[in-house]
Amino acid sequence: MTIKPLSDRVVVQMLKAEETTKGGIILTTAAQEKPQVAKVVAVGPGRTEDGKLVPTSLKVGDQVLISKYSGTEVKVDGEEYTILREDDVLAVVE
């Protein structure tokens, strides 16, 4: 099954959280912070303003920075994804 977002929504997959600190201490799952960097896996066509389509500025494959608790988390075919609006994306990581 594939996810096709509507409007200005974006589907992202969170990147793995750090399992060790910079000093080499191994963190338990409970102690790990929720990751804020994600990979864009699908984008919607864009939003409509004044009857005209404004395309999204993101593309599949972009790495983005998002708020910790933004979007809706869904599970499809055993994989976890987050669906959020383009406005919820804080920055593109280059």
Side-chain angles (χ1 to χ4, degrees):
M1 176 183 346
T2 60
I3 301 173
K4 183 179 177 186
L6 302 175
S7 189
D8 66 338
R9 289 188 171 74
V10 180
V11 179
V12 297
Q13 191 168 31
M14 303 307 288
L15 299 179
K16 298 287 183 193
E18 292 293 325
E19 295 180 3
T20 58
T21 64
K22 290 181 181 179
I25 298 171
I26 298 173
L27 299 172
T28 64
T29 305
Q32 295 173 5
E33 285 191 30
K34 183 175 179 183
Q36 292 179 270
V37 179
K39 180 180 176 185
V40 176
V41 294
V43 294
R47 66 182 182 280
T48 304
E49 282 186 9
D50 300 325
K52 295 182 181 179
L53 181 67
V54 178
T56 58
S57 59
L58 299 171
K59 61 186 180 301
V60 174
D62 282 348
Q63 282 194 5
V64 294
L65 207 70
I66 64 171
S67 304
K68 277 189 180 184
Y69 304 105
S70 63
T72 303
E73 294 177 359
V74 295
K75 196 170 194 176
V76 177
D77 295 334
E79 295 287 330
E80 292 184 13
Y81 300 98
T82 303
I83 302 173
L84 49 102
R85 290 192 174 276
E86 182 181 23
D87 292 341
D88 292 335
V89 174
L90 303 175
V92 175
V93 180
E94 296 181 348

